[in-house]
Amino acid sequence: MRTLVSGVTCLLTDAGGNVTDAGGFFVADTRHLSRWVLTVHGRALRALASSAAEVVLAPPTVRNENPPFVLRRIQRLGSGLLVEELTLTSFVSSPQTVRVALSAEADFTDQFELRSSRVFDKSDATREVSATDGEVVFGYARRGFRRQTRITASPPARLSGDGAQWTVTLPPGGTVTLQARISAGDAADEVPALVAAVSNRGDDLDRCVARGLADLDSLRVPAADLPPMADVDLPPGAVVPAAGAPWFLTLFGRDSLLTSLFALPYRPELAEGTLRLLAATQGREHDVSRVEEPGKILHELRQGELATLGEVPYARYYGTIDATPLFLVLLAEHHALTGDDILAKDLEPAARAAVGWMLDDGGMQATGYLRYRTDGAGLVHHCWKDSADSMVFADGTVAAGPIAVSEAQAYAYRALRGTAELARSAWGDPSWAADLDRRADRLRAMFSADFRLPNAFVALALDGADRQVDALASNAGHVLWSGILDDSWAALVADRLAADDFFSGWGIRTLAEGQPPYHPLSYHRGGVWPHDTALAVAGLAMTGRADAAARIAEGLVAAASSADGRLPEVLTGLPRRPGQPPVPYPHSCSPQAWAAAAPLLLRSVL
């Protein structure tokens, strides 16, 4: 699919720029166009070339028959806005009368419906279509939730509930340009910028970095586009990286934090915006309906119909074990790089509350580790591998909670160390700094005792009975990067992680090949995630395994180079074959924030 993104706005089309059943024009979790199809004289055109910038089309002809015109189709996105520009150029010596139509339908489907098998009863919804000489408006309402899609045309077209239709005279050798504007409600009267070209200068990694930065720029979401909350004042001017298109175009705690961390040397404003927005939405009370607890950092915000009406729990959802320590990690790394005392001091109360959550509701004081229940609202698992079947033993048995997942402890270790340094250098509290360092020392010693498998690898997790979940998993790469392992153990983990049952030739598999629960097309039990691989590469580089780090990074860069420099959310775990591109995962988001940021981390550590 062809994907265009601008913040919370996304267009998903086929190669010709048409929206059919598989795509849509999405704004803030709602599909505002479910059909948007171009025809000329009632017939589809043939796509001759297709990119994000433009699509070149012509009437279908037989061999050696020249088409009478070419149509260039440019689609631009703004906040809640799609501008469609059609330029017809004649290549014949006589005038042509051309009938151009853009057929439209708006089903206002919530994105949770589109990516789930669950059926929601919406029999109480009302829909309406109204058309005038100037615009056609599709409307939807249900239990107070209201959305509209407006279509206008220039020059004036015949507008109806079926879309827009022009009948124009195309002069010999001349051009005619038509424009349609589709807005989600009252979008600003702007002219969105053209999709910018991405630099091809430098080596393959440089080109991947350029592509990643361009994708991150398209995924920037200003605070004004996030859902309003009566009890929260969002910092004006702040921007965050949305997690990915088309399903995750919103603030995600873990995703936005790791993305901002990877991009810190390139886009430090993303880190500041993410930290300030997550501090503003930090948990204040105990609310089991959204897994909120005081001091806990948010998992996600949603503003679609199902979240707004409470039919899914994700309007403001806190089901994440790792966003809170990652918040502290990013704050410390931002200060270390930029020396920004203002941000550090502004967020000191949020940082202290985050440490308080880790010790109290997070479970570290009582059990020594960050733990999450698997029976609450929303997600079963509250780590980055959040699919229901991700936490498994080597024999395929699913682990029961409460779960202490390995990388969350590693993040906690790095968070304690980083916050201790902030307490010393920015907050003038050496006593608390010393206490945090002591806690980090204890956590490191406990982790070594409890998470070291008999084969010297890192356990995926501890289950509710404190048994080691012994599947060989890529989470160990995050652990390696964190610094929680002593040098001798880190060396053993690094060598095992770089073995061929983990490395597909493109990246690190989420589960090592050959184990009963492994499947190369599984989201979290065999697929290859670029951000996961980049963290493993960083861990290998830190451990002195430069050759292994370079070999695995080359695979990731090669995967990106086969797709114009862009890395998707996830690839399959199928092995690399000479002369063949990687096999894509069928439901992968692209562009996706931490995949886009993965080359930035590679450039920083190699």
Side-chain angles (χ1 to χ4, degrees), residues 19 62 97 104 231 252 287 310 404 415 425 441 480 487 492 505 551 590 597:
V19 170
V62 298
T97 299
D231 59 336
F252 264 72
D287 184 341
S425 63
D441 290 339
L480 196 61
D487 290 347
L492 295 172
R551 177 171 61 95
S590 184

Side-chain angles (χ1 to χ4, degrees), residues 529-606:
W529 289 65
H531 88 283
D532 189 35
T533 296
L535 280 168
V537 168
L540 289 167
M542 291 168 56
T543 314
R545 300 304 193 267
D547 289 347
R551 177 171 61 95
I552 293 168
E554 183 281 328
L556 204 58
V557 172
S561 298
S562 72
D564 196 27
R566 174 180 284 168
L567 286 165
E569 176 189 21
V570 56
L571 300 163
T572 67
L574 293 168
R576 185 174 179 177
R577 301 295 185 199
Q580 298 299 314
V583 178
Y585 179 78
H587 306 292
S588 182
C589 287
S590 184
Q592 201 254 8
W594 58 17
L600 313 186
L601 180 59
L602 296 182
R603 178 54 82 202
S604 297
V605 302
L606 294 178

Side-chain angles (χ1 to χ4, degrees), residues 48-66:
L48 305 178
S50 180
S51 69
E54 71 172 6
V55 179
V56 180
L57 306 113
T61 57
V62 298
R63 188 176 180 85
N64 294 325
E65 179 188 0
N66 297 323

Side-chain angles (χ1 to χ4, degrees), residues 89-94 170-175:
T89 301
S90 169
F91 293 99
V92 296
S93 58
S94 58
L170 183 57
T175 64

Side-chain angles (χ1 to χ4, degrees), residues 323-338:
T324 307
L326 286 172
F327 174 87
L328 295 168
V329 169
L330 180 59
L331 180 60
E333 294 289 340
H334 182 274
H335 186 263
L337 181 69
T338 68

Side-chain angles (χ1 to χ4, degrees), residues 32 41 124 129 166 189 192 312 320 327 370 554:
H32 280 260
H41 300 303
D124 53 343
V129 181
W166 295 266
D189 187 20
V312 295
T320 167
F327 174 87
L370 292 176
E554 183 281 328

